[in-house]
């Protein structure tokens, strides 16, 4: 790879373009898009504005025929800690539209990632929790290190795990999905590898490098065959995602109407963690 180019126009999501060669011939026009969640002081926990930036970056990569693969990662010591609870803790119990809009926002992000017809590799450089964990599971392949922590701790903050159940079940099966959803526990890299949450473990300082190398290998493959294969994989569980999004809207409206998620998130933000 030659020197990458970086787009720093956004404040919480950055895109670095890494030129790749195909068929042994270097072509500056072809590249990989390294999409980085860049809010390290908050462990890359995202807000609605940050997800909008991410959707825009992924949409641009998907529409660019010169882009042959996408690597997802996080700045600093985290991949993504999930939702910034300071934002959702403020949802009014009577504002059902806000609760539904929050789920629709994630639906758009998830469908944007899944809609990419080129390989998507997650370089899981640190904690991947809650919706950030689900986001990692949407990648085609995930590379991490022994010290990563992955899981679905939403229930600990009073948030029902609905889309999380959909994201986990295809990998973990019913029993482990139930365990993750109800206990909120996080697993380290070796267990994540054993369970299929990660595809490969490497040294911590090589996670992004290995993800880029894997994306480069996949970029050499015939893009039409890759796109059609990914399209069929999507078809297998598209209906399940649609159902999960609709169920999540109903469940989260009911949950937020009780005020329990807001109270539990306030508890978490105050440092009184379960």
């Amino acid at each position: 790879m030659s020197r990458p180019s970086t787009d720093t126009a956004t404040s919480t999501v950055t895109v670095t373009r890494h030129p790749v060669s195909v068929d042994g011939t270097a072509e500056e026009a072809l590249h990989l898009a390294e999409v980085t969640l860049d809010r390290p002081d908050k462990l890359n926990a995202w807000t609605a504005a940050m997800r909008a930036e991410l959707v825009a970056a992924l949409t641009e990569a998907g529409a660019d025929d010169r882009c042959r693969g996408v690597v997802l990662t996080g700045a600093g010591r985290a991949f993504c800690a999930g939702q910034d609870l300071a934002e959702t803790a403020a949802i009014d119990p009577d504002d059902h539209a806000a609760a539904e809009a929050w789920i629709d926002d994630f639906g758009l992000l998830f469908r944007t990632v899944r809609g990419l017809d080129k390989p998507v590799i997650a370089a899981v450089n640190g904690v991947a929790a809650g919706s950030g964990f689900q986001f990692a599971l949407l990648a085609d392949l995930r590379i991490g290190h022994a010290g990563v922590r992955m899981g679905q701790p939403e229930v600990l903050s009073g948030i029902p795990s609905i889309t999380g159940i959909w994201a986990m079940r295809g990998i973990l099966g019913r029993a482990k999905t139930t365990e993750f959803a109800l206990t909120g526990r996080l697993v380290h890299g070796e267990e994540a590898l054993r369970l299929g949450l990660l595809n490969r473990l490497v040294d911590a300082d090589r996670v992004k490098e290995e993800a880029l190398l894997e994306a480069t290998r996949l970029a050499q493959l015939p893009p039409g065959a890759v796109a059609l294969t990914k399209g069929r994989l999507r078809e297998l569980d598209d209906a399940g995602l649609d159902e999960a999004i609709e169920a999540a809207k109903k469940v989260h409206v009911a949950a937020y109407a009780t005020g329990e998620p807001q109270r539990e998130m306030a508890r978490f933000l105050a440092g009184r963690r379960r």
Side-chain angles (χ1 to χ4, degrees):
M1 289 184 189
S2 60
R3 181 177 301 173
S5 62
T6 304
D7 177 2
T8 57
T10 60
S11 61
T12 58
V13 175
T14 61
V15 179
T16 305
R17 296 176 179 84
H18 299 266
V20 295
S21 63
V22 175
D23 296 329
T25 302
E27 297 185 41
E28 291 295 321
L30 298 180
H31 63 269
L32 303 174
E34 176 192 330
V35 181
T36 304
L37 303 178
D38 194 7
R39 201 180 177 216
D41 57 318
K42 298 294 186 181
L43 299 182
N44 301 317
W46 43 30
T47 62
M50 186 175 177
R51 287 191 298 276
E53 290 182 12
L54 183 55
V55 166
L58 294 173
T59 299
E60 180 178 352
D64 187 352
D65 291 337
R66 299 167 299 174
C67 177
R68 298 295 293 268
V70 175
V71 171
L72 307 173
T73 194
R77 60 190 179 92
F79 179 78
C80 177
Q83 172 65 39
D84 185 333
L85 298 182
E87 181 179 67
T88 44
I91 293 179
D92 189 312
D94 295 323
D95 191 349
H96 298 174
E100 289 192 355
W102 183 56
I103 297 300
D104 280 331
D105 189 46
F106 279 107
L108 174 61
L109 173 60
F110 286 13
R111 290 182 175 112
T112 300
V113 178
R114 284 167 54 80
L116 293 171
D117 285 331
K118 50 209 70 181
V120 180
I121 313 297
V124 185
N125 56 304
V127 65
S131 53
F133 172 57
Q134 297 171 41
F135 180 63
L137 297 186
L138 297 177
D140 300 312
L141 299 172
R142 292 163 297 282
I143 297 173
H145 61 89
V148 305
R149 294 164 62 232
M150 304 179 74
Q152 191 65 33
E154 293 179 324
V155 69
L156 304 181
S157 298
I159 302 173
S161 180
I162 307 303
T163 57
I165 290 173
W166 169 82
M168 291 186 289
R169 186 163 177 172
I171 296 173
L172 295 176
R174 171 68 181 267
K176 278 294 179 181
T177 294
T178 300
E179 179 184 336
F180 272 61
L182 290 183
T183 68
R185 78 181 185 97
L186 304 182
V187 297
H188 287 283
E190 290 186 359
E191 186 171 359
L193 178 67
R194 180 176 61 80
L195 292 172
L197 300 172
L198 291 175
N199 298 95
R200 191 186 315 161
L201 281 183
V202 299
D203 291 340
D205 60 353
R206 290 186 55 82
V207 170
K208 186 169 74 172
E209 179 182 353
E210 288 294 330
L212 287 167
L213 287 172
E214 184 65 31
T216 299
R217 285 190 283 269
L218 295 180
Q220 313 300 316
L221 300 176
V226 169
L228 289 170
T229 299
K230 290 197 61 172
R232 177 54 185 154
L233 288 169
R234 277 196 302 273
E235 288 177 350
L236 294 176
D237 55 11
D238 262 348
L241 175 59
D242 292 341
E243 181 183 28
I245 293 296
E246 290 308 308
K249 285 196 283 190
K250 294 177 184 177
V251 171
H252 281 273
V253 164
Y256 275 90
T258 69
E260 181 180 80
Q262 295 92 324
R263 291 192 300 272
E264 292 297 329
M265 284 185 274
R267 176 201 295 270
F268 180 90
L269 292 169
R272 302 192 304 273
R273 303 182 181 184
R274 292 185 181 275

